[in-house]
Amino acid sequence: MTTPPVDAAEPAPAHAQASAHQAPKAATPSTPMPTVAVIGNPNTGKSTLFNALTGLRQKVGNYPGVTVEKHVGQITVGGMTVQLIDLPGSYSLAAYSPDEMIAVDVLLGRIPGERRPDAVLVVVDATNLRRNFYLASQVLELGMPVVIALNMIDLATARNISIDAKKLAANLGAAVVPTAAATGVGLDELRAALDCAVKTPSAPTWQIFPALKTAAAELATAHSTPKSPLMAYEIERALLDVGAPAEARVVARQDAALTTALTATRESLSDGRPLAALEAATRYRWIAEQLAATETRGTPPPSWTDRIDAVLTHPVAGLVVFVAVMALVFQAVFVGAEPLMKGIDAGFGAVGEFLAEWLGNGILASFLVDGVIAGVGAVVMFLPQILVLFLFIAILEDTGYMARAAFLMDRVMRFCGLSGQSFVPLLSSFACAVPGIMATRTIPDRRDRLATILVAPLMSCAARLPVYTILIAAFVPAQLSVAGVISVQGLVLLAMYLTGIIAAIAAATVFKRLILRGPTPVFLMELPTYKRLRFRAVAMRLWDRAKVFLVRAGTIIFVVVIVVWALGYFPRSETLAANFEAQRETARTQTAAPATAETEADAEADAKALEARLAEIDAAEQMAQLEQSVFGQIGHAVEPIFRPLGWDWRISAATIASFPAREVVVGVLGTTFALGSDVDIDDAEGETKMTHALQSATHPDGRPLFTLPVALGLMVFFALCMQCGATLATIKRETNSWGWPIVTWFYMTGLAYVAALAVVHLTTAIGL
Amino acid sequence: MGTNATTPITLDRLKPGQRAVIRTVRGEGPLAQRLLEMGLLAGEAVRMVRVAPAGDPLEIEILGYSLSLRRNEAAAVDVEHVQ
């Protein structure tokens, strides 16, 4: 059935020819850096191995057109630098989505502008060679030098599994190195094997399913044109993965005759059974042959995983533990990150104040303080939540509990067309959608991941809470209660959270039916054995995520803050400035009159009064300048749109100006209601000032601005709207496209408007 | 004839703790291909480990590892129940 290594003459496409399995010479500065692709099943410790090899010499990017992250690292072997490309974890090269196709494209050298790798490192779980060798068997057929890392060899030994690596290597025609990435075992040998693979390459040329290989090669030759050469492996994938990207692609490039030929070949090869079934049976038979001579499995010791799972997936105990773990994660992100965020806020505030004092009141000061420093602060502010959440995600994933959480939650999440893996990202989004959206990386299915990203910002995040509390404190009477126990204020707050959840369920359902429509994704999920946590692996993941956020999303957030600053600053009215300066002068001269201060106490009181008066003038100036800035003008311009919601220009402007991140909305409300942007509502006095300002605000005709319906409408608007540049920047970064953030903004803003309008009208109708 | 040992049923009908031998994975397309790749081949032994508290998904043991799959996915797999 199987043909031992001879020659797999694979016609490489024109742009891949330079590198495709011709012996690359030892790298000199003039030749391109040798490249090794790293591939493996999920849960094999592939990323840990990648990190252990490359350390901090890593870069994260994106492949064009897909959401897959591109991890590239460098290692030095034998005095030469080799580039490692970490491919997404997968069980097979079969590709049913563009994201899955990336591995095939990288291995074949089909990524535009990139060379075909010089060798492949396949990471396998030494405790489960049978299933892990499925992917390895596919890679061994590609005609590239292969190095196999038998990772987690320590666990295999502990389970009385012994593997004859030398014999396996000789039989396979590939280097085989036992490793334990978590403890550093075998890394030197692995480096040496990689060195050897790129310096003196020898490629195994297995033909595990020769009939398929031959048929694919014939089709490729018959249908290739000089302009568009077909690779035999592309045809092989097109034959196996019916209706998947590989087939669509070769058919699109070639004539319709190829479609007919593909169908005919499938039929002739498979004698009635699906070709994929034949392939699987053939490969597993080959694997059994290979392992029969090289792997011996003794009696395994009793498994801890079974005993732990008896508790952790138990209908009662399991759910209790689950709720406790999730409550802990949520608390940690929501509350635990707060001291750090407060510290960062205070730190940037202090720097800003210092600069402001030093630079005075000019445009430079405003640009540096409210633009640059605020911008950097707005980015850094997210780090504590991201780090805390990813600390927990790393712990949950590396120990193996994350898969159990998805197992427990899958049925519930499927209610709105999502899967169990969406639970943790959505839960985290109650603290902040930014880390929540970053956490969707753990969702394997592309459409499930996009649906989760689209609805994650509907979860009421921590930054919306101040808006709710201030409006509730100002407009929902504190003494109102249901049956004397449940406070209505509390109920309104709960209603805001429920509004977000219900909207998210509805939106997810609609998205999965409309723009993310498609066959139900396959849920097959390995439940890995529980593993000990390794500090280094966790630290590397935190470093990786922090870097990705700061560099990729951070720059967008920073630019948004600068733009919003400029819109709120320009045009500056000199007349207004002079006017308010005159007011300040008057206040100062009045207080300075020495005769009025008879005692020291009086002088002190005068100084205090002056300070208060000056603060008032400053706040009034901020508001006046904002009103005639671009923002104020926009606020006025959109007033008609928001009039049905009962808003005036101040609320509109505050809503728009809070765009850099919802965190700033209290500050902007402070400005628009002439309290100054540094009003602190955590402080009782600040809160009283704010509630009073909102309660006494009026329309120009003297009607109160806020009625209870208007306040409720504003809260619902904030619960559902997408006024958060940081979230949009993160969506852009995670989906690798501007389309999805635009979709998110429009659907959420539309939803927020309609819902707010409905609330205003309904509550007015029932006489609130 | 009629004994439990030879009655073909679908994988989702197994009760926790029950063992079976896989007969075939029905159908074509991504689900069938993924099931086969994960090792659900004819003749392979499988054990139903547990059912999630909500009644779905299921956890099975195959090729010595634990795999979670949904009920409707398991329904595409014909097995022979063995005692």
Side-chain angles (χ1 to χ4, degrees):
Chain A
M1 193 77 207
T2 57
T3 315
V6 242
D7 179 28
E10 176 89 348
H15 63 267
Q17 241 149 25
S19 67
H21 54 95
Q22 296 156 359
K25 295 113 213 139
T28 60
S30 59
T31 55
M33 201 189 295
T35 301
V36 177
V38 186
I39 196 165
N41 287 186
N43 308 309
T44 52
K46 179 172 67 73
S47 298
T48 308
L49 186 63
F50 181 80
N51 289 335
L53 285 172
T54 60
L56 298 178
R57 295 166 71 189
Q58 291 188 19
K59 273 197 310 204
V60 183
N62 280 92
Y63 293 104
V66 293
T67 65
V68 177
E69 272 183 353
K70 179 182 174 187
H71 286 257
V72 179
Q74 291 185 355
I75 58 169
T76 309
V77 285
M80 163 178 76
T81 304
V82 173
Q83 177 172 267
L84 296 190
I85 303 179
D86 190 16
L87 294 173
S90 62
Y91 293 102
S92 150
L93 291 181
Y96 281 93
S97 72
D99 287 12
E100 290 171 337
M101 198 61 193
I102 284 299
V104 178
D105 284 339
V106 169
L107 291 175
L108 296 185
R110 282 291 198 190
I111 302 282
E114 289 194 23
R115 296 163 58 241
R116 190 173 184 189
D118 301 284
V120 190
L121 169 61
V122 185
V123 184
V124 299
D125 173 355
T127 66
N128 187 356
L129 286 190
R130 273 184 80 191
R131 200 208 57 226
N132 277 261
F133 260 47
Y134 194 89
L135 178 67
S137 79
Q138 293 176 321
V139 174
L140 283 165
E141 286 187 302
L142 294 176
M144 304 164 80
V146 176
V147 176
I148 296 176
L150 302 176
N151 200 29
M152 305 198 275
I153 193 72
D154 47 342
L155 299 181
T157 311
R159 254 178 256 174
N160 292 322
I161 300 169
S162 64
I163 303 160
D164 189 340
K166 278 207 185 97
K167 198 168 175 187
L168 197 55
N171 290 356
L172 295 178
V176 177
V177 185
T179 59
T183 53
V185 171
L187 294 184
D188 289 335
E189 291 84 347
L190 187 59
R191 282 193 199 96
L194 291 173
D195 184 28
C196 188
V198 294
K199 272 190 189 148
T200 50
S202 84
T205 43
W206 281 98
Q207 299 208 10
I208 292 165
F209 192 172
L212 175 65
K213 272 236 168 300
T214 314
E218 277 167 14
L219 276 180
T221 317
H223 293 266
S224 277
T225 57
K227 247 183 87 184
S228 166
L230 288 167
M231 293 175 79
Y233 193 73
E234 286 179 294
I235 298 289
E236 209 175 299
R237 283 262 64 92
L239 285 167
L240 289 165
D241 310 342
V242 183
E247 184 182 6
R249 207 193 282 174
V250 294
V251 166
R253 284 217 316 259
Q254 251 54 41
D255 47 299
L258 184 56
T259 318
T260 330
L262 284 175
T263 316
T265 310
R266 268 184 211 126
E267 268 167 26
S268 75
L269 281 172
S270 62
D271 62 0
R273 292 166 68 190
L275 191 55
L278 203 57
E279 188 213 8
T282 312
R283 286 193 188 284
Y284 271 110
R285 200 177 314 128
W286 177 85
I287 293 167
E289 279 166 26
Q290 299 303 318
L291 295 184
T294 49
E295 184 196 44
T296 40
R297 299 176 79 103
T299 331
S303 140
W304 275 102
T305 296
D306 267 1
R307 282 182 254 172
I308 297 171
D309 266 345
V311 178
L312 293 189
T313 55
H314 186 272
V316 181
L319 288 179
V320 170
V321 173
F322 175 80
V323 170
V325 169
M326 291 303 137
L328 178 72
V329 172
F330 183 71
Q331 275 293 313
V333 181
F334 202 88
V335 182
E338 206 178 277
L340 267 171
M341 293 172 71
K342 280 241 165 84
I344 290 170
D345 195 28
F348 278 94
V351 172
E353 245 167 61
F354 171 77
L355 266 185
E357 232 158 75
W358 189 54
L359 290 168
N361 241 342
I363 172 168
L364 180 68
S366 180
F367 173 70
L368 287 179
V369 175
D370 299 328
V372 177
I373 293 177
V376 175
V379 175
V380 176
M381 186 69 102
F382 287 101
L383 271 188
Q385 286 182 331
I386 290 172
L387 290 178
V388 172
L389 177 63
F390 276 87
L391 172 69
F392 277 93
I393 287 182
I395 293 173
L396 295 182
E397 278 204 323
D398 289 1
T399 54
Y401 186 73
M402 192 67 114
R404 273 74 184 182
F407 179 72
L408 292 172
M409 278 294 112
D410 185 61
R411 185 71 198 81
V412 179
M413 300 309 292
R414 222 183 328 154
F415 176 68
C416 44
L418 301 174
S419 78
Q421 287 126 336
S422 305
F423 185 81
V424 169
L426 290 179
L427 178 77
S428 324
S429 299
F430 280 107
C432 175
V434 168
I437 288 167
M438 290 173 71
T440 60
R441 286 254 154 235
T442 53
I443 305 172
D445 182 73
R446 180 178 164 274
R447 282 179 292 122
D448 278 359
R449 182 156 84 239
L450 284 173
T452 310
I453 289 174
L454 288 177
V455 302
L458 285 170
M459 304 292 140
S460 273
C461 62
R464 283 155 163 135
L465 197 53
V467 182
Y468 299 154
T469 45
I470 201 78
L471 288 169
I472 287 174
F475 301 105
V476 181
Q479 64 279 9
L480 266 190
S481 69
V482 176
V485 234
I486 310 161
S487 116
V488 170
Q489 286 194 334
L491 282 181
V492 173
L493 185 61
L494 180 66
M496 289 308 129
Y497 278 87
L498 289 178
T499 303
I501 295 171
I502 293 165
I505 293 173
T509 312
V510 170
F511 282 127
K512 288 299 293 251
R513 297 254 163 96
L514 296 175
I515 50 177
L516 297 171
R517 191 177 45 205
T520 315
V522 178
F523 175 69
L524 302 186
M525 177 181 70
E526 184 183 356
L527 297 172
T529 52
Y530 288 104
K531 306 222 168 51
R532 263 183 61 193
L533 207 59
R534 302 286 171 175
F535 173 76
R536 198 187 131 86
V538 172
M540 285 290 291
R541 288 181 59 160
L542 290 186
W543 166 252
D544 177 63
R545 285 302 98 185
K547 203 172 70 171
V548 160
F549 174 77
L550 286 180
V551 177
R552 309 294 294 282
T555 39
I556 306 176
I557 298 172
F558 181 76
V559 169
V560 167
V561 172
I562 300 282
V563 169
V564 167
W565 167 81
L567 294 179
Y569 191 87
F570 296 107
R572 207 76 184 156
S573 159
E574 289 310 319
T575 340
L576 269 177
N579 213 339
F580 280 99
E581 196 45 52
Q583 285 187 30
R584 268 189 282 266
E585 262 322 296
T586 320
R588 280 197 202 102
T589 35
Q590 276 169 3
T591 318
T596 53
E598 273 167 12
T599 64
E600 220 165 87
D602 276 358
E604 211 168 280
D606 281 351
K608 265 208 172 135
L610 173 63
E611 206 175 292
R613 178 73 194 117
L614 287 177
E616 251 172 58
I617 297 172
D618 284 351
E621 182 179 5
Q622 276 181 12
M623 177 188 167
Q625 289 285 14
L626 182 71
E627 181 165 15
Q628 54 89 47
S629 73
V630 177
F631 259 138
Q633 293 168 27
I634 297 175
H636 278 292
V638 298
E639 219 184 331
I641 303 175
F642 290 105
R643 198 168 292 140
L645 303 184
W647 297 10
D648 70 347
W649 77 270
R650 288 175 292 185
I651 305 178
S652 307
T655 308
I656 301 167
S658 68
F659 187 72
R662 291 195 178 89
E663 273 74 4
V664 304
V665 68
V666 172
V668 184
L669 280 174
T671 306
T672 50
F673 289 93
L675 297 169
S677 61
D678 47 4
V679 59
D680 179 9
I681 60 159
D682 286 343
D683 153 282
E685 196 196 336
E687 189 180 342
T688 319
K689 263 167 77 183
M690 182 67 112
T691 47
H692 184 76
L694 295 178
Q695 284 163 342
S696 55
T698 56
H699 283 289
D701 59 7
R703 281 180 301 125
L705 175 59
F706 282 103
T707 58
L708 182 54
V710 169
L712 289 174
L714 180 58
M715 276 189 266
V716 167
F717 187 88
F718 253 87
L720 303 177
C721 76
M722 181 65 273
Q723 282 304 104
C724 180
T727 303
L728 292 172
T730 309
I731 296 178
K732 150 74 179 79
R733 157 48 224 161
E734 291 297 320
T735 59
N736 193 23
S737 109
W738 283 107
W740 293 112
I742 292 170
V743 167
T744 312
W745 189 85
F746 274 99
Y747 104 81
M748 285 182 65
T749 307
L751 187 65
Y753 185 87
V754 172
L757 192 64
V759 164
V760 171
H761 279 265
L762 282 175
T763 50
T764 310
I766 61 171
L768 285 180
Chain B
M1 195 187 143
T3 63
N4 246 1
T6 54
T7 321
I9 53 169
T10 50
L11 179 56
D12 60 308
R13 309 288 292 272
L14 289 183
K15 297 203 166 48
Q18 286 184 333
R19 291 168 190 279
V21 172
I22 291 171
R23 279 167 62 114
T24 181
V25 173
R26 274 180 284 106
E28 246 184 294
L31 175 62
Q33 194 171 350
R34 296 290 183 218
L35 287 168
L36 292 160
E37 288 168 352
M38 297 303 275
L40 284 92
L41 296 163
E44 207 57 61
V46 61
R47 179 170 71 97
M48 178 65 65
V49 180
R50 58 175 64 84
V51 175
D56 201 9
L58 316 168
E59 178 185 343
I60 61 164
E61 194 184 292
I62 182 96
L63 298 190
Y65 77 95
S66 289
L67 179 69
S68 163
L69 73 176
R70 289 175 178 163
R71 241 173 223 291
N72 57 352
E73 294 168 338
V77 184
D78 286 333
V79 297
E80 254 168 61
H81 179 204
V82 292
Q83 213 49 63

